[in-house]
């Protein structure tokens, strides 16, 4: 798919077809920007679907690299937990199953993305926005970024293929702190563990990253896409299977008492503020 | 198995059913302590069997996490080489085969352990007590700990799934020094290579680790167990196969001239002291 | 194969059967030295074939370890691009196919090598001489060494199983910089990423490495070979498959416009010097 020179329609500023994202293509770079800064870019059901759609378009457009970043102070605060407060007619069981299908499709869009995918982590990242970094090719972070996956605090379990990618990149001894025991990593720690490619001072973050991206976008398009697919190809079947297993476990978790109590506790503590 | 609330009988101090271990459960933490300090906690045949049994019980009891540590100055000096001096009626071949079956069952007890497993490495670790760390979830070490696997010095070959877990966590370039060329790692080196989660000053080791363990033991039990099983599940079949191959090779090695000469040399050099 | 005590014929200095290599065996160490210093040890078709042959002999000889190094200031500048200027009768398609078969056999000789294989990186390493380091057991480097794989600059894609070994050892976030975006690593960076075992000051490089090699060569031969085969065995099938996929992709790449233009650009820029 990345081979063809097909040129996608480029949304111009102001006419974006997305409600929760800003998407633009310029100088061979497609940028997908999470755009719910007032909610720390927490991902709603609509936003999951829009990101899947934006990735599908970026995979086919004429860009050489695709960049994901956040607007405002946060990169992304993860799954919007209000997603769990809209119980559909089918009850909790139906809600959990639907959420599982959406998550599976969301993660698969990253597994299948055919070009170099670069995260520009402009601030704190939480939950699924952290775990999915294991499926990116390059991760640049400001020194102000943090990386937090409080799964067990919320009675949940890892997703985004992190149960495979995190032990692979950092070893089980370090990955367990993050995946099981809710350890929040600083940008420097995340870089030492292989989750982040490079950390920059916040004052020069955007300009230094822009310089690198500009250089990358001038490289031969097909060579880059095919090289990325080669690297990913060696573990694609594995990643599909891991995604399935993680989703299956989460669908169970979401219906467990442990998880419901933990999420209720989250909203109660917020209500007290 | 980790789902049920089954409560195991808790041995009280003084009535332990184990000869070589101290096992206790308190505040959601089951602790298995190697208890042959006069022999640097070297593992005899009886002790292998007792650890397997203690792990089986800990996997089913009501604890949230399980901790393994050593009494005295050593964590564990590995396989007690006197195990090789009791030649049974079937001769060396029978001895090697029996030792292989015991090792296979011992390693499998760690592969299958269903809850977070935490090593508190209170001093030097040797041989199989080092290699098995690749199957733990968290490894805390005092700065006085060292990690040594002198396989080729003893004419032997790697076990404990280390031929897979060590290259996975530290890359082949670093793993080969340890697995092939007998390099002894300091705690700091082991931490840099991903074998150890965190290193502590010896003076505050026990108190700092206790604080972390206490916090972990308050997290949702099922969420932790299921998350750990998810992480391990992605490579369980692989680990069984690696265990089989390592045991098969060692059974050959134990019957080789190289190995016998190396072990005789070990006892001769000890006798001279 | 490594079990037998078969002693290979040892070429004495002056009567080497190789045109592009110096090969010698002494004190249980077989050394294969790239010997085209005037061309920075760039690998010609003849040299690929000679290295395959030298590895085959070293695998069967009486040595305990095998060492690969370079003569002169470079370790190896990678594939000699003049290999691409001799278009055979069958045209570019035939040339690409032949080059692919040679590369596949070359990489397989490293996958299959049955004893500890040690790289002594005496200076800059480029292209396939970098990627293949993922198949060595120990990599010692002088501080003056650099590691550069400019695949996408040349319109090409990764080989030497690096699309698998590099992400495995350093994580995708760091591997992508090297494999996709042409980042040149210093020796210190390569060591931090797990590509290099240890870095030495240039002034003491040769003597410090010689001390280590001498000690390794005194260890039990079979124990070392069998341990190495055990470590490699856990991923051998995977490595064959990765090698096949990388070669297939490169054969396509070599016939692409992107690649031809990039290689012509390389020669034009050289011609201007």
């Amino acid at each position: 798919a990345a081979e063809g020179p097909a040129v996608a329609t480029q949304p111009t500023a102001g006419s974006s077809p997305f409600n929760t994202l800003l998407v633009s293509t310029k100088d061979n770079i497609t940028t997908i920007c999470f755009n719910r800064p007032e909610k720390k870019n927490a991902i709603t059901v609509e936003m999951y679907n829009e990101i899947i759609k934006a990735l599908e378009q970026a995979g086919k457009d004429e860009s050489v690299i695709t960049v994901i970043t956040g607007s405002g102070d946060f990169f992304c605060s993860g799954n919007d937990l209000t997603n769990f407060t809209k119980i559909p007619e089918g009850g909790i069981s139906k809600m959990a199953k639907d959420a599982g299908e959406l998550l599976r499709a969301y993660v698969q869009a990253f597994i299948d993305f055919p070009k170099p995918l670069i995260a520009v982590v402009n601030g704190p990242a939480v939950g699924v926005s952290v775990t999915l970094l294991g499926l990116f090719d390059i991760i640049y972070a400001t020194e102000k970024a943090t990386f937090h996956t409080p799964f067990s605090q919320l009675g949940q379990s890892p997703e985004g293929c992190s149960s495979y990618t995190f032990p692979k990149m950092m070893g089980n001894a370090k990955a367990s702190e993050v995946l099981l025991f809710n350890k929040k990593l600083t940008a420097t720690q995340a870089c030492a563990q292989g989750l982040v490619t490079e950390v920059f001072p916040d004052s020069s973050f955007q300009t230094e990253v822009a310089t690198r991206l500009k250089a990358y976008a001038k490289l031969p398009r097909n060579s880059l896409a095919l090289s990325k697919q080669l690297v990913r190809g060696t573990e694609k079947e594995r990643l599909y299977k891991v995604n399935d297993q993680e989703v299956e476990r989460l669908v169970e978790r979401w219906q467990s008492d442990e998880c419901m109590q933990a999420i209720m506790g989250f909203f109660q503590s917020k209500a007290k503020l």
Side-chain angles (χ1 to χ4, degrees), chain A:
Chain A
E3 279 278 37
V7 177
T9 50
Q10 290 179 42
T12 51
S15 72
S16 170
F18 298 107
N19 290 319
T20 65
L21 308 174
L22 293 173
V23 180
S24 62
T25 301
K26 195 184 158 190
D27 295 339
N28 288 331
I29 304 171
T30 291
T31 302
I32 298 171
C33 181
F34 303 141
N35 196 29
R36 293 184 74 220
E38 73 286 1
K39 293 292 183 183
K40 299 176 177 171
N41 298 318
I43 311 177
T44 58
V45 170
E46 179 185 26
M47 192 163 156
Y48 279 115
N49 283 308
E50 289 195 350
I51 297 168
I52 292 171
K53 193 177 164 194
L55 284 171
E56 202 183 322
Q57 290 177 359
K60 290 177 187 161
D61 74 16
E62 91 290 12
S63 66
V64 172
I65 58 174
T66 296
V67 172
I68 293 188
T69 191
S71 64
D73 292 335
F74 262 66
F75 176 62
C76 174
S77 57
N79 186 43
D80 191 323
L81 288 177
T82 64
N83 292 341
F84 289 123
T85 58
K86 297 154 194 158
I87 314 287
E89 221 175 300
I92 303 257
S93 155
K94 166 85 172 130
M95 185 189 75
K97 217 178 140 188
D98 287 353
E101 282 319 302
L102 183 59
L103 177 62
R104 187 198 316 269
Y106 184 65
V107 174
Q108 188 165 337
F110 287 84
I111 298 174
D112 287 341
F113 194 71
K115 303 175 181 181
L117 185 61
I118 297 175
V120 175
V121 185
N122 56 299
V126 181
V128 72
S129 77
V130 175
T131 55
L132 274 175
L133 294 176
L135 299 176
F136 281 67
D137 300 295
I138 296 280
I139 298 97
Y140 290 135
T142 166
E143 64 192 347
K144 286 169 55 186
T146 54
F147 301 84
H148 195 205
T149 53
F151 296 122
S152 64
Q153 265 174 14
L154 293 171
Q156 304 194 23
S157 54
E159 20 70 340
C161 292
S162 61
S163 67
Y164 167 71
T165 60
F166 279 36
K168 184 190 163 192
M169 80 175 70
M170 54 180 90
N172 284 68
K174 312 284 190 188
S176 300
E177 281 193 301
V178 173
L179 295 178
L180 302 183
F181 296 119
N182 311 298
K183 179 169 182 175
K184 188 192 283 190
L185 299 178
T186 64
T188 304
Q189 289 171 331
C191 190
Q193 304 306 349
L195 182 61
V196 162
T197 306
E198 194 174 349
V199 180
F200 300 85
D202 197 60
S203 56
S204 59
F205 178 55
Q206 296 293 348
T207 52
E208 291 202 51
V209 168
T211 304
R212 279 163 176 73
L213 298 182
K214 203 172 284 189
Y216 295 168
K218 288 178 184 155
L219 290 166
R221 181 199 323 266
N222 294 336
S223 177
L224 277 185
L226 291 167
S227 294
K228 186 244 164 91
Q229 291 165 31
L230 188 62
V231 171
R232 181 60 44 79
T234 69
E235 56 183 6
K236 209 162 182 179
E237 290 308 316
R238 178 80 175 263
L239 291 169
Y240 289 148
K241 202 175 151 192
V242 169
N243 187 22
D244 285 348
Q245 290 168 335
E246 290 177 343
V247 166
E248 195 181 335
R249 188 125 294 178
L250 263 176
V251 170
E252 295 162 17
R253 289 276 82 209
W254 287 328
Q255 301 175 68
S256 71
D257 287 345
E258 266 185 10
C259 181
M260 284 184 207
Q261 281 165 18
I263 290 175
M264 283 198 301
F266 173 84
F267 283 114
Q268 283 165 359
S269 67
K270 269 190 91 172
K272 284 182 194 155
L273 298 179

